[in-house]
Structures are given as structure tokens and as C-alpha cells.
């Protein structure tokens, strides 16, 4: 597990150490620095995958993040031309420092760096980065033996989720992440995906089949059973929420213990009930030993996490919340960190932190 991310002159962070827990929830207004934290790990990951990081270089534009050139990444008010990304794992500090170069999208090392090791969590084969812009519902989904069978990747946009489900449909899900309330599920991935997806759309059952003679698979969605069973609807005819949430559900259920999942906006296109269930699922995954860092705008998601803490499904010490804001005068991102109490309450409630309900009610009642 990584205990903190350390950033220097990286986009909106001049110098920052962001503490992490098994589950870290990044919140805050738009453009306040949440994705930047995830992107820092994405840059390191795509750099190591491309074979650059062993020499200390960064690949700024790749499958996980597209950051532009050095001039886009260097903090606007930096007093040096060094950009650093690092993290703390098991008490040891690892960091990579590169030199700013205006037009370059590969930045070269500027200082001594610690060689990357596959034992470091962000570089392990148990890594998923699921971006905010995921693939829309599709009639058929591409297969990738390289991404799925070899790298166990869902794709940064979740584009390989259907193929992943086809290949690993029977992979057993650890007991502690299985859907707690269902009596008729089996331990296999597809059965558990269906159980959790029924929180989003009651009665739904997914299935995935090869499109014979092609490099595609087809996801289908059926409702009900027996005489009430519906046709198998295509993905494009069952709304956005199911397709958008599928890669996140799979990542929580299928990432091995010790892995790291970075998720942007798991709540996208889900009804509030589903957003809360997503918070619970992510909390259970973190409790089972998968480190999760989530960016969210959803108080329902947050409440799902808080209730999981209250129900002792996640120990309160294993959750951290950061509330980001951008200081316009300093042109920097900063954050405060209300801690989660054993009963799910927060130690304090910063102004602007999911207080829209209260503000609206005050206005409505005045
Ligand atoms: N080179 C830079 N120097 C200083 N600040 C920068 C630089 N590049 C980007 N920023 C700042 O970073 C912020 C964007 O942060 P980020 O992309 O992490 O937003 P976010 O909190 O994830 O937003 P959203 O909720 O919309 O996804 C902006 O405020 C922008 O001004
Ligand atoms: Mg963001």
C-alpha cells in the first residue's frame, strides 16, 4: 500500500504530500486538483509500461493520462525547473524528478532517481486506472488478449470490461466483497457483478458472448426470470449507467489483494441509490486489501462509504477524505482532511463540502 503521494511543481501543486489510506476519497469543486493526484500516479505507470521510467524519463501522453508538454505540467509559479512525483510505501520514499522542457512530451531525468521496482504498488500487475471519460454503451466490444489475458487490464476507459468479464466470468470473488444481501449468488465474477448491478437496476442480469468469427464480444442485459424473463437487450438499449459502472464494479471484484485502483467519478450516470451502493462496494474492496483512490462529486457515494464504516464493513482508520480547493491568489491546489469517525460521522465539515442540500433547504425554508 502507498501511504502518501508527494508532488513538486506538478500542475496545481507547488509542493504537497497527500496522505493515502486503503480507501482515499478525493472531493472538491471542479478544477481543484483531484484528478491531478491520480494523474501523477498515471504518469508514473504509463512511463514504466512504456519502458521509460527505468531511465527516469516520463511519458506525459499515454493510455492513462494526456498532459501535453512540459510547459503544461510545470507548476505555473515554480521557482525551479524540476518537476517531481513520488510516493511513500512502507516508510520508504520513492521519487522521480524530471527537467522541464517546453515542447517535450517526454521529460528527461534531472536528478538522481530511485530505480523502479515491480514490488512497488503503482507498478504491480494488479493496477487499474478508470478515467472519468469511459466508453459509452456499445453494441459490441473489442477484445484485447494483450490487455486482458496478459495484463488483466480493463482499459483506462473501461473499454475491455466486456472481454474481461467473458474471460474471467468464473473467477471466484473473495467472500468479503461478495454482494452481502443476495442469497442466490455463486462466488464467480459474473454472478457477483450481476448481484451488485441489481443495486443499480433491479432484476438486471448481464451476459457476455463471443461474436463468432470476430474479435468482438457482445454484452446483453436481461430482466426477470422464468415466464417473466425479458429478451436479451443490447447495451445501447439499457441506458448509460450500467455500461459506465461495469468496469468499476469489475475492478473492485476482480483486482487481487495488494492491488491499486484509481477511479474517477464512479457515480457517473447512476441513480442516488446506485451511487451509495458503489460507495459500499468500494469500501468493501478496500477492506479486503485492495487500495482504492477515488475522485467523486457524490455525497451519496460518500455516504455509502460512511455507512460501511458505521456497519464495521470498513475500519474507520482505513478511510481518508480530502477536500480540495484552489487558492486563486497562490494559483495552487490545497486540501483539508476531515477524518471519518467510527460511527461514520466526520470530524468537521468544511464550508463548501457537500453542503448544497443544507444551503438549498435554508433558501427554500426562508
Ligand atoms: N501548470 C499548471 N500550474 C498551475 N496550476 C495548474 C497547471 N495545470 C493545471 N493547473 C490547475 O489544476 C486545476 C485542475 O485540476 P484537476 O484537473 O485535478 O481538476 P479536478 O479537481 O479533477 O476537477 P474535476 O472535478 O472537474 O474533474 C486547475 O485549477 C488548473 O488551474
Ligand atoms: Mg477530475
Amino acid at each position: 500500500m502507498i501511504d502518501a503521494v508527494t508532488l513538486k511543481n506538478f500542475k496545481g501543486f507547488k509542493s504537497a504530500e497527500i496522505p493515502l489510506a486503503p480507501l482515499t476519497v478525493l472531493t472538491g469543486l471542479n478544477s481543484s486538483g483531484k484528478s491531478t493526484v491520480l494523474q501523477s500516479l498515471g504518469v508514473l505507470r504509463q512511463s514504466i509500461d512504456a519502458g521509460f521510467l527505468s531511465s527516469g524519463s516520463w511519458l506525459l501522453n499515454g493510455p492513462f493520462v494526456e498532459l501535453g508538454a512540459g510547459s503544461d505540467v510545470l507548476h505555473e509559479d515554480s521557482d525551479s525547473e524540476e518537476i517531481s512525483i513520488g510516493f511513500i510505501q512502507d516508510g520508504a520514499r520513492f521519487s522521480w524528478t524530471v527537467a522541464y522542457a517546453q515542447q517535450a512530451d517526454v521529460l528527461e531525468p534531472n536528478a538522481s532517481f530511485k530505480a523502479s521496482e515491480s514490488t512497488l504498488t503503482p507498478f504491480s500487475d494488479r493496477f487499474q486506472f478508470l478515467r472519468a471519460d469511459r466508453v459509452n454503451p456499445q453494441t459490441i466490444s473489442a477484445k484485447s488478449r494483450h490487455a486482458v489475458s496478459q495484463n488483466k487490464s480493463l482499459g483506462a476507459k473501461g473499454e475491455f470490461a466486456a472481454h474481461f468479464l467473458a474471460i474471467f466470468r468464473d473467477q471466484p470473488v473473495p467472500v468479503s466483497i461478495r454482494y452481502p444481501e443476495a442469497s442466490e449468488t455463486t462466488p464467480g465474477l459474473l454472478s457477483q457483478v450481476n448481484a451488485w448491478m441489481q443495486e443499480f437496476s433491479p432484476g438486471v442480469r448481464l451476459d457476455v458472448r463471443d461474436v463468432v468469427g470476430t474479435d468482438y464480444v457482445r454484452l446483453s442485459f436481461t430482466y426477470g426470470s422464468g415466464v417473466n424473463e425479458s429478451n436479451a437487450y443490447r447495451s445501447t438499449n439499457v441506458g448509460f449507467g450500467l455500461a459506465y459502472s461495469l468496469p468499476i464494479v469489475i475492478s473492485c471484484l476482480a483486482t487481487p489483494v495488494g492491488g491499486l485502483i484509481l477511479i474517477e467519478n464512479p457515480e457517473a450516470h447512476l441513480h442516488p441509490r446506485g451511487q451509495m451502493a458503489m460507495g459500499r462496494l468500494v469500501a468493501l474492496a478496500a477492506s479486503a486489501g485492495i487500495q482504492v483512490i477515488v475522485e467523486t462529486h457524490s455525497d451519496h457515494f460518500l455516504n455509502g462509504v460512511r455507512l460501511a464504516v458505521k456497519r464495521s464493513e470498513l475500519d474507520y482508520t482505513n478511510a481518508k477524505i480530502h477536500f480540495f480547493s484552489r487558492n486563486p491568489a497562490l494559483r495552487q491546489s490545497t486540501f483539508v482532511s476531515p477524518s471519518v469517525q467510527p460511527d461514520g460521522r466526520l470530524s468537521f465539515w468544511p464550508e463548501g463540502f457537500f453542503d448544497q442540500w443544507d444551503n438549498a433547504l435554508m433558501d427554500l425554508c426562508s
Side-chain angles (χ1 to χ4, degrees):
M1 190 187 97
I2 43 179
D3 303 314
V5 166
T6 54
L7 302 175
K8 190 168 166 245
N9 289 333
F10 184 72
K11 294 184 62 187
F13 293 94
K14 191 166 188 177
S15 178
E17 182 169 310
I18 300 115
L20 302 176
L23 173 56
T24 308
V25 184
L26 311 176
T27 70
L29 291 175
N30 290 110
S31 239
S32 59
K34 304 177 297 296
S35 289
T36 306
V37 176
L38 302 177
Q39 287 165 352
S40 66
L41 295 171
V43 166
L44 293 184
R45 179 65 195 214
Q46 69 192 22
S47 301
I48 198 167
D49 287 349
F52 286 27
L53 203 61
S54 54
S55 61
S57 315
W58 296 359
L59 177 67
L60 294 183
N61 301 292
F64 297 121
V65 295
E66 289 137 28
L67 298 182
S71 50
D72 298 300
V73 176
L74 182 73
H75 179 65
E76 207 172 333
D77 285 338
S78 68
D79 37 28
S80 85
E81 305 225 316
E82 282 189 352
I83 313 169
S84 289
I85 303 175
F87 52 83
I88 303 173
Q89 180 169 331
D90 301 327
R93 285 178 179 269
F94 301 86
S95 76
W96 290 263
T97 302
V98 290
Y100 158 75
Q102 187 157 8
Q103 297 302 337
D105 65 355
V106 174
L107 297 184
E108 300 299 336
N110 197 34
S112 64
F113 58 92
K114 291 209 175 179
S116 52
E117 298 168 27
S118 58
T119 53
L120 296 176
T121 302
F123 306 143
S124 82
D125 56 2
R126 297 159 286 183
F127 176 87
Q128 304 287 348
F129 188 136
L130 294 164
R131 295 168 31 154
D133 52 333
R134 296 190 282 280
V135 285
N136 293 338
Q138 296 171 320
T139 313
I140 51 173
S141 308
K143 289 182 185 175
S144 169
R145 297 231 167 264
H146 174 72
V148 178
S149 308
Q150 199 172 320
N151 294 339
K152 310 248 179 341
S153 169
L154 294 159
K157 296 185 175 186
E159 63 270 32
F160 302 125
H163 189 205
F164 192 103
L165 197 55
I167 292 194
F168 299 109
R169 62 196 301 149
D170 298 322
Q171 175 180 299
V173 172
V175 175
S176 56
I177 323 177
R178 289 183 203 158
Y179 182 68
E181 269 84 47
S183 51
E184 291 174 14
T185 60
T186 58
L189 180 63
L190 179 60
S191 175
Q192 291 301 317
V193 164
N194 280 330
W196 279 100
M197 295 296 253
Q198 285 173 18
E199 279 283 333
F200 311 151
S201 184
V204 74
R205 268 182 302 117
L206 283 68
D207 203 0
V208 60
R209 297 254 179 266
D210 267 4
V211 181
V212 179
T214 72
D215 292 325
Y216 292 91
V217 290
R218 182 179 189 274
L219 261 182
S220 63
F221 299 77
T222 309
Y223 285 83
S225 58
V227 287
N228 293 324
E229 188 172 83
S230 73
N231 291 335
Y233 305 126
R234 56 170 68 190
S235 186
T236 45
N237 285 342
V238 292
F240 258 70
L242 295 173
Y244 243 67
S245 54
L246 179 63
I248 296 163
V249 172
I250 294 176
S251 72
C252 290
L253 298 177
T255 301
V257 168
L260 174 65
I261 314 177
L262 313 179
I263 309 172
E264 290 182 322
N265 308 108
E267 69 273 15
H269 301 295
L270 289 181
H271 186 74
R273 168 180 158 163
Q275 296 179 23
M276 206 160 103
M278 193 64 102
R280 185 184 192 191
L281 171 61
V282 165
L284 289 176
S287 195
I290 305 162
Q291 185 167 21
V292 191
I293 313 176
V294 189
E295 164 181 357
T296 186
H297 289 292
S298 167
D299 37 5
H300 303 296
F301 176 89
L302 182 68
N303 287 339
V305 172
R306 295 169 64 199
L307 278 169
V309 168
K310 185 176 180 182
R311 291 192 202 107
S312 304
E313 292 173 347
L314 175 71
D315 191 89
Y316 74 103
T317 58
N318 287 339
K320 278 196 193 309
I321 299 170
H322 300 309
F323 177 57
F324 287 81
S325 53
R326 186 171 188 272
N327 184 325
L330 296 176
R331 290 187 280 200
Q332 284 190 46
S333 294
T334 55
F335 60 94
V336 291
S337 310
S339 52
V340 186
Q341 311 292 300
D343 62 1
R345 289 170 195 251
L346 302 186
S347 57
F348 65 98
W349 203 271
E351 194 184 338
F353 176 78
F354 297 121
D355 53 9
Q356 215 55 45
W357 258 104
D358 292 349
N359 295 343
L361 279 177
M362 294 283 271
D363 285 350
L364 284 166
C365 297
S366 65

